Amino acid sequence: MTHYRSRFSAGVALAVLGLALSPLLESPKARALATLLLVASAVLLGLTSCRLHKTRHERSFLKNALLVYAPYAAVALLLAAALRVSLILAPPGETALATLSATALSEKLESDFARLTALNARLPERLSAFHAAASSGGVPQREWLELLDLHRDYGRLVETYKGFHRIDYVSSPALHAGALVIGLWACLRQQAISQNVSAFVEARPECRSRLDGYYSGYGKGNASAMIRSMGSDTTQLRIHAGAAYLTLVAKDVPAAFGEALPAFRTELTAAQRSSGPDTLRSVTDPLRRLQELDLP
Amino acid sequence: MAFKGDVKFGQSILHTPEEWLKRQLLPCVPRWLETYHLTLMTVLWSALIPVFSFFARSHLAWLWAVSLMIALQYITDLLDGAIGRQRNTGLVKWGYYMDHFLDFVFLCAILIGYAILLPQAYRTELLFIMAMFAGYMVNSFLSFACTNKFQIAYMGIGPTEIRLVFIAVNTLITCCGKTHMITVLPYVLALSTFGLFVTVYRTGKELWRLDMHTKNNPPPAP
């Protein structure tokens, strides 16, 4: 008598499982499994809806289920979103920043800022070398690997300083603000490299497979990973939340960073403005790739 | 209205094996050991947990001692009410008050132990988790004041299952190290917040229904 209840529950569970696989859609096995789960879910939900018109009890089933479970679903979604945001902005896990003494941390900030400045100086020439070499046809392997190296170096700084919130703002405001600036600036520069690669792939789609190819020590799929990261919630939250937070702690940024700060803020504003198109490109890119995979 | 703090509503998933264990252990309790001795033993277990957690900072194997304290507290907590009923000690209200207050002390001791064990930077997360767990207790006591029904198990999860979770956490920390626990803390916080929402929402709905029932069916005038 209540078969439709169990069918409905199983259908919803399969739909949730199928949707949970969406981050892995690039893998053919995951795509096949997700499709299978969603088709099974659609069949079960379809069978349920066919039964839901005979008796008064059946007709009110969906409405009643919604009334009972909607508040739980709403709170669960809100909590899941809050958890995701907190994991990005205040990631758990041990960080060396929290264990260093103030003096050691100050020295580390100075050396890492010098490293960031050196990387920033190198970035325009690496990008122009890549584009110049690419304009002569083919994929410039050496220039591409140099660009990947630069991206990785920025990535190391982002990883180191993503735990900047563990540096106590009350006792060490300058160190806290300095760590924020280094991490955020490195993130912006990673985004700049990704934007360049995305624009290049858009203009020269035939080069994509070479850029995504396997390189010893670098792995494969680097270009696609960069494009995906442009619109990822991690990057976007870091940039926008970091920009908002910077306005609060800008007065505490160490004096040594002072000269570079206006340029950094201009760059940050530009990155915030371009975040819409970046997100759109990073979303349409994998969709296009999926279409290419499916079409003969 | 008769006091019903000694009668628990809502069964946890381990209720049946727990009752069996209680029946097996009751004859083993010596005559000189009274219900109030068993209840007050939680003070000892609670005091030892932070000590063993402090030792666990230098060697994680000390967490086995913390787990032993949890198991011993479970046994004394399981038997105190049963012994009182069997021997007709009569300490119903004292037992309700002291037993549940000491349950709260014991929960605090476990979380204080984790705060001692983990790096200082993670104490905020533990404070939030403590607030959520205490919320379940506050919910039970407030709801008992309104309904005279004392419920400590929700959705099949009661204090016994939570104790088992703590023992499992200690075992995992001993085997895999502290790093994983730090990673898991935000998820524990989110899940306990959701569980508390479900509990409070259901209790609120039930009390609303009772209020409306009372309003629509007023007692006959004397």
Side-chain angles (χ1 to χ4, degrees):
Chain A
M1 199 175 100
T2 54
H3 278 171
Y4 63 92
R5 281 176 193 276
S6 46
R7 269 195 208 133
F8 179 76
S9 309
V12 171
L14 288 179
V16 171
L17 272 177
L19 291 173
L21 283 173
S22 57
L24 309 169
L25 277 184
E26 286 245 334
S27 147
K29 279 181 189 168
R31 281 169 59 214
L33 187 61
T35 312
L36 197 69
L37 287 171
L38 290 175
V39 167
S41 156
V43 169
L44 286 171
L45 292 175
L47 284 172
T48 313
S49 63
C50 288
R51 282 293 311 271
L52 294 179
H53 62 276
K54 289 183 180 165
T55 65
R56 186 175 61 83
H57 188 67
E58 285 175 359
R59 278 195 294 275
S60 60
F61 173 69
L62 278 180
K63 189 181 148 199
N64 288 342
L66 195 70
L67 278 174
V68 173
Y69 294 109
Y72 299 113
V75 173
L77 282 173
L78 273 174
L79 280 172
L83 178 66
R84 178 77 187 142
V85 170
S86 67
L87 287 176
I88 292 169
L89 296 182
E94 300 211 59
T95 169
L97 297 176
T99 53
L100 290 175
S101 68
T103 322
L105 189 56
S106 178
E107 282 167 10
K108 183 173 169 56
L109 280 182
E110 269 177 41
S111 70
D112 279 343
F113 186 68
R115 175 156 183 70
L116 178 70
T117 313
L119 291 174
N120 287 351
R122 221 177 295 156
L123 179 61
E125 84 189 42
R126 290 266 171 102
L127 281 174
S128 53
F130 175 74
H131 285 294
S135 63
S136 59
V139 173
Q141 186 173 325
R142 190 172 60 87
E143 285 78 2
W144 171 233
L145 293 184
E146 281 176 355
L147 208 54
L148 278 180
D149 276 334
L150 206 57
H151 192 268
R152 271 188 177 187
D153 287 342
Y154 280 125
R156 281 191 201 105
L157 288 174
V158 171
E159 278 301 305
T160 307
Y161 289 98
K162 72 179 184 186
F164 80 93
H165 60 283
R166 300 250 180 243
I167 303 170
D168 185 27
Y169 175 72
V170 178
S171 59
S172 321
L175 299 178
H176 182 93
L180 166 73
V181 168
I182 295 178
L184 187 54
W185 205 344
C187 180
L188 284 186
R189 288 298 171 119
Q190 271 198 315
Q191 182 79 336
I193 296 175
S194 303
Q195 282 168 342
N196 266 275
V197 172
S198 172
F200 177 76
V201 165
E202 218 163 72
R204 306 263 305 272
E206 72 280 3
C207 297
R208 181 171 195 137
S209 56
R210 287 288 306 280
L211 292 178
D212 267 343
Y214 177 82
Y215 294 97
S216 177
Y218 297 87
K220 61 176 184 177
N222 287 301
S224 292
M226 278 186 193
I227 295 169
R228 275 200 305 276
S229 77
M230 284 198 314
S232 73
D233 53 356
T234 309
T235 310
Q236 294 298 326
L237 265 170
R238 273 192 189 145
I239 290 175
H240 290 282
Y245 189 56
L246 183 68
T247 56
L248 299 174
V249 296
K251 62 182 187 308
D252 303 305
V253 174
F257 294 19
E259 283 178 24
L261 202 59
F264 166 60
R265 293 189 89 159
T266 314
E267 208 173 301
L268 185 56
T269 311
Q272 280 188 283
R273 283 194 185 132
S274 74
S275 66
D278 285 345
T279 308
L280 199 62
R281 274 158 74 189
S282 69
V283 170
T284 50
D285 184 76
L287 285 176
R288 226 179 272 151
R289 295 257 293 155
L290 282 173
Q291 282 170 349
E292 282 165 15
L293 285 168
D294 289 333
L295 291 173
Chain B
M1 192 188 288
F3 179 74
K4 287 184 180 170
D6 56 331
V7 184
K8 292 185 179 91
F9 288 82
Q11 286 189 355
S12 67
I13 42 180
L14 292 172
H15 177 74
T16 312
E18 207 171 43
E19 286 299 311
W20 177 85
L21 181 67
K22 203 191 286 181
R23 282 196 301 274
Q24 304 302 310
L25 290 176
L26 266 178
C28 309
V29 180
R31 290 297 305 171
W32 54 266
L33 197 60
E34 290 291 346
T35 175
Y36 43 88
H37 295 135
L38 289 166
T39 303
L40 291 172
M41 270 186 191
T42 300
V43 176
L44 178 67
W45 314 137
S46 305
L48 286 172
I49 283 179
V51 176
F52 292 143
S53 301
F54 180 75
F55 293 158
R57 286 173 68 153
S58 53
H59 202 297
L60 284 176
W62 277 102
L63 282 176
W64 291 115
V66 175
S67 296
L68 179 69
M69 293 302 104
I70 296 173
L72 288 173
Q73 198 273 342
Y74 168 68
I75 291 170
T76 53
D77 194 38
L78 181 75
L79 294 175
D80 59 0
I83 287 286
R85 273 188 291 275
Q86 193 190 48
R87 297 181 187 173
N88 195 21
T89 318
L91 293 170
V92 179
K93 287 182 180 167
W94 183 89
Y96 165 81
Y97 170 76
M98 198 53 79
D99 191 18
H100 297 302
F101 180 72
L102 288 177
D103 278 346
F104 174 69
V105 170
F106 187 69
L107 174 69
C108 290
I110 293 176
L111 289 168
I112 288 169
Y114 287 139
I116 291 171
L117 182 67
L118 295 181
Q120 197 169 7
Y122 298 96
R123 288 187 187 162
T124 318
E125 278 95 333
L126 284 170
L127 175 72
F128 291 159
I129 291 172
M130 176 75 227
M132 287 301 137
F133 278 34
Y136 288 95
M137 297 185 124
V138 171
N139 174 76
S140 289
F141 302 135
L142 288 178
S143 130
F144 173 58
C146 299
T147 60
N148 206 24
K149 285 181 182 176
F150 192 55
Q151 186 172 1
I152 52 170
Y154 297 93
M155 295 169 282
I157 308 290
T160 309
E161 287 74 15
I162 297 295
R163 285 189 189 98
L164 282 176
V165 169
F166 280 128
I167 291 175
V169 167
N170 288 346
T171 310
L172 285 173
I173 297 175
T174 314
C175 301
C176 313
K178 288 186 273 185
T179 316
H180 296 289
M181 188 189 178
I182 289 167
T183 315
V184 164
L185 280 180
Y187 297 94
V188 174
L189 182 58
L191 273 177
S192 54
T193 309
F194 182 66
L196 185 61
F197 164 75
V198 173
T199 309
V200 171
Y201 184 74
R202 283 185 175 181
T203 312
K205 268 179 88 170
E206 176 61 14
L207 292 178
W208 186 294
R209 192 189 62 75
L210 286 176
D211 276 345
M212 289 303 110
H213 182 263
T214 313
K215 182 186 159 192
N216 297 328
N217 302 283

